[in-house]
């Protein structure tokens, strides 16, 4: 099990890289995370939700993603409430206080899933959440030491030297956690190092002396990792300014407070002919933008209100008058319609709101969530695959001009002038032919990225090589 001294220290990507490294040695490796908190979710072939990081780890390991790889997923809807997904399915909506009292009861389901993956694997690589040093949460913990102790799973602690204070973080963790928990930690990894590693030899020795844990290696900062799909919104900070190669096609997306599945847009950021920008609150939509994307949201009505508060509704109207294009994904698709009704309060307090009225559609939130893989074609005949995760049911006149046609019929909507469109399909831009056609329409000519997933596969191999060179892999296998 790989735990961290804090959030965003690199646990997810280290586990992913080790999945690839050990899989290349001929082992059947399966990732596992008892409890995750993220609005970046993926859909498994059996129609359940898991954290995007576990999907990426399964990709790295070369195994089919399963709901058992992430049995508890929390999807924040506000500062106080989260949707609780258990073994891929909606379980409850809970506030933080209630969840702390009841989450211990989920350990049985977690151990069921762990037994499922363990029985199919030579090696299970487990990712913790946050930090075991959050001792105020230890009594009912299921994400870190609570799981490690229940499963009798040895722990490796990861620290991020890039943010500073890594020695104190390591030693402080040892000092504040219970001795029985500290005994589960068999070694530590220092991540995101820049410069001469030899200069940190005394630091490694100091951590070993103060903790009694074995240093398993120092991992250098690995720049290509920024291109892999990210799960944590903290990681998105690297994309809040200009991204891409500064190409002629200018694409802007709104950085909404409850942004969900923002990795949908990663393939566009990789395109050399695209200048991509996340537009933050208080910023004005640039007049030379070619395409505006309203991304997914876990609190659609709240984020719609936020969009208006920033003055972006007026910006969108002006953008359309100039002939600019607008695309809504999932929650963004719903916002573009005439109305959104959440009468039962599935994503927040019960409410109905007027939409942006840029698509002639209306959305009503249903009791049951649609969670399913999706395959279909564009009007030009290009194959498209992705997945759906949404409560909304959207109907209206503009759906007679769908974006796609799938096995279950038409999907999405296009406005009569052809400038505005919306879809529920996540993962659209990872489809190479669709992405190339979109960029051609936007004036890019031939897109530069030939095969998105081949690029991600090459990055994962390079990352596995870096871990092989940095870590004591034999010691890890011995654990």
């Amino acid at each position: 099990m790989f735990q961290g001294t804090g959030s965003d220290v690199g646990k997810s990507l280290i586990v992913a890289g080790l999945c690839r490294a050990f899989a290349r040695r001929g082992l059947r490796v399966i990732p596992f995370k008892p409890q995750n908190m993220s609005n970046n979710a993926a859909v498994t072939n059996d129609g359940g939700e898991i954290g995007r990081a576990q999907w990426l780890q399964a990709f790295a390991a070369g195994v089919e993603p399963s709901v058992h790889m992430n049995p508890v997923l929390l999807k924040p809807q506000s500062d106080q409430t989260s949707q609780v997904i258990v073994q891929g399915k909606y379980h409850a909506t809970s506030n933080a206080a209630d969840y702390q009292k009841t989450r211990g009861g989920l350990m049985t389901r977690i151990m069921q899933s762990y037994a499922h993956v363990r029985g199919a694997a030579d090696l299970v690589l487990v990712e913790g959440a946050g930090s075991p040093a959050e001792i105020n949460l230890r009594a009912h913990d299921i994400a870190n030491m609570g799981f490690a102790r229940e499963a009798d799973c040895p722990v490796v602690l990861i620290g991020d030297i890039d943010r500073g204070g890594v020695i104190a973080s390591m030693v402080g963790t040892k000092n504040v956690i219970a001795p029985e928990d500290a005994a589960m930690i068999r070694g530590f990894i220092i991540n995101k190092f820049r410069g001469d590693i030899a200069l940190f030899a005394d630091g490694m020795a100091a951590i070993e002396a103060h903790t009694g844990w074995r240093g398993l290696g120092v991992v250098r900062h690995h720049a290509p990792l920024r291109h892999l799909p990210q799960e944590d919104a903290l990681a998105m900070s690297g994309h809040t300014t200009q991204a891409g190669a500064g190409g002629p096609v200018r694409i802007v997306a709104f950085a909404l407070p409850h942004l969900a599945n923002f990795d949908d847009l990663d393939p566009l950021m990789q395109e050399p002919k695209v200048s991509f920008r996340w537009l933050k609150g208080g910023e004005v939509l640039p007049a030379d933008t070619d395409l505006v994307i309203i991304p997914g949201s876990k609190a659609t009505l709240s984020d719609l209100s936020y969009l208006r508060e920033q003055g972006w509704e007026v910006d969108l109207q002006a953008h359309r008058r100039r002939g600019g294009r607008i695309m809504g994904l999932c929650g963004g698709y719903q916002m573009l319609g005439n109305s959104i009704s959440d009468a039962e309060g599935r994503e927040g307090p019960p409410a109905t709101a007027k939409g942006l009225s840029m698509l002639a559609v209306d959305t009503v939130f249903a009791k049951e969530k649609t969670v399913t893989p999706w395959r279909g074609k564009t009007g030009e005949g290009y194959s498209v695959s992705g997945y759906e995760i949404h409560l909304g049911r959207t109907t209206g006149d503009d759906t007679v001009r769908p974006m796609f046609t799938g096995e279950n019929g038409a999907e999405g909507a296009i406005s009569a002038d052809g400038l505005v469109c919306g879809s529920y399909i996540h993962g659209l831009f990872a489809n190479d032919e669709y992405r190339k056609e979109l960029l051609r329409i936007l004036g890019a000519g031939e897109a530069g990225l030939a095969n998105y997933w081949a690029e991600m596969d090459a990055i994962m191999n390079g990352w596995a090589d870096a871990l092989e060179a940095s870590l004591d892999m034999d010691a890890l296998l011995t654990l």
Side-chain angles (χ1 to χ4, degrees):
M1 185 177 195
F2 294 83
Q3 299 181 16
T5 57
S7 296
D8 199 35
V9 301
K11 298 185 293 292
S12 296
L13 289 174
I14 282 183
V15 169
L18 290 174
C19 281
R20 174 59 57 91
F22 287 128
R24 293 191 310 194
R25 295 187 178 200
L27 297 171
R28 179 170 171 79
V29 186
I30 298 182
F32 185 78
K33 183 160 184 168
Q35 174 193 282
N36 201 347
M37 177 178 280
S38 176
N39 275 331
N40 262 19
V43 173
T44 60
N45 282 340
D46 54 2
E49 293 183 69
I50 61 172
R52 192 67 176 164
Q54 282 60 66
W55 191 97
L56 181 67
Q57 290 159 359
F59 167 78
V63 296
E64 185 73 30
S66 163
V67 296
H68 295 292
M69 294 175 182
N70 176 205
V72 178
L73 173 62
L74 306 179
K75 304 184 75 174
Q77 295 182 170
S78 70
D79 291 341
Q80 298 295 325
T81 62
S82 290
Q83 196 176 92
V84 183
I85 309 296
V86 178
Q87 291 177 336
K89 303 299 182 185
Y90 174 80
H91 176 73
T93 297
S94 179
N95 63 42
D98 288 342
Y99 182 70
Q100 294 303 327
K101 297 174 185 176
T102 61
R103 65 175 174 167
L106 296 173
M107 183 63 86
T108 298
R109 304 285 294 277
I110 287 172
M111 295 309 294
Q112 288 172 351
S113 289
Y114 177 58
H116 181 90
V117 300
R118 184 175 179 179
D122 299 313
L123 178 64
V124 180
L125 298 182
V126 185
E127 180 189 341
S131 169
E134 295 159 352
I135 55 176
N136 55 308
L137 305 178
R138 176 62 182 90
H140 304 291
D141 174 59
I142 59 177
N144 290 303
M145 287 302 177
F147 172 81
R149 294 274 295 277
E150 183 76 14
D152 192 23
C153 183
V155 174
V156 174
L157 189 66
I158 300 171
D160 176 3
I161 197 170
D162 196 40
R163 64 177 62 189
V166 73
I167 295 175
S169 297
M170 287 284 181
V171 177
T173 298
K174 170 67 181 295
N175 287 343
V176 300
I177 63 178
E180 296 83 2
D181 288 348
M184 300 300 297
I185 300 177
R186 311 295 172 80
F188 65 92
I189 293 170
I190 302 299
N191 194 24
K192 305 182 189 178
F193 191 90
R194 302 171 191 259
D196 185 353
I197 288 178
L199 296 178
F200 195 64
D202 289 345
M204 294 290 285
I207 295 171
E208 290 181 332
H210 282 282
T211 63
W213 302 330
R214 178 179 179 178
L216 296 169
V218 179
V219 179
R220 292 186 180 278
H221 172 78
H222 194 68
L225 292 178
R226 72 182 185 276
H227 298 305
L228 290 175
Q230 303 291 330
E231 179 184 68
D232 197 324
L234 288 172
M236 202 193 76
S237 60
H239 297 313
T240 52
T241 55
Q242 210 74 11
V249 174
R250 295 172 172 82
I251 299 177
V252 169
F254 295 145
L256 302 171
H258 304 96
L259 188 61
N261 293 83
F262 58 81
D263 63 308
D264 280 344
L265 308 184
D266 283 359
L268 296 176
M269 298 180 194
Q270 315 305 321
E271 285 287 354
K273 294 186 178 181
V274 168
S275 292
F276 183 92
R277 179 180 176 186
W278 284 106
L279 200 68
K280 297 180 288 184
E283 296 180 332
V284 176
L285 179 66
D288 60 356
T289 300
D290 297 299
L291 172 66
V292 179
I293 298 175
I294 308 178
S297 168
K298 197 65 192 71
T300 306
L301 292 176
S302 176
D303 279 352
L304 174 59
S305 177
Y306 175 86
L307 183 154
R308 287 188 163 115
E309 290 169 3
Q310 309 314 308
W312 291 340
E313 182 174 19
V314 175
D315 286 354
L316 286 171
Q317 292 167 346
H319 173 73
R320 187 181 189 178
R321 286 196 297 271
R322 291 191 293 266
R325 295 178 181 273
I326 302 167
M327 179 183 292
L329 299 176
C330 201
Y333 173 28
Q334 296 167 352
M335 293 182 203
L336 285 171
N338 291 321
S339 67
I340 306 171
S341 176
D342 185 11
E344 297 189 9
R346 298 303 304 274
E347 280 194 355
T352 296
K354 182 181 183 297
L356 299 173
S357 296
M358 293 188 167
L359 283 174
V361 296
D362 297 278
T363 298
V364 176
F365 283 8
K367 289 184 178 180
E368 297 298 323
K369 183 187 289 190
T370 298
V371 180
T372 183
W374 187 91
R375 291 184 181 277
K377 291 183 179 295
T378 67
E380 296 78 17
Y382 297 125
S383 295
V384 175
S385 64
Y387 56 95
E388 295 182 66
I389 309 177
H390 57 92
L391 283 165
R393 303 293 185 268
T394 300
T395 57
D397 291 347
D398 280 347
T399 62
V400 301
R401 290 177 294 275
M403 285 188 67
F404 310 106
T405 301
E407 296 173 354
N408 296 320
E411 198 287 322
I414 301 174
S415 62
D417 63 6
L419 295 177
V420 183
C421 62
S423 171
Y424 276 119
I425 309 305
H426 294 290
L428 284 179
F429 305 123
N431 291 273
D432 298 316
E433 294 303 321
Y434 172 73
R435 186 181 66 254
K436 291 175 185 177
E437 176 64 13
L438 173 66
L439 295 181
R440 185 192 64 76
I441 291 171
L442 295 174
E446 281 296 317
L449 185 62
N451 188 317
Y452 174 72
W453 283 112
E455 292 282 340
M456 298 306 102
D457 197 57
I459 291 171
M460 190 63 72
N461 279 327
W463 176 227
D465 291 341
L467 293 182
E468 289 267 15
S470 302
L471 300 178
D472 189 337
M473 303 291 279
D474 291 337
L476 282 170
L477 281 175
T478 299
L479 290 181

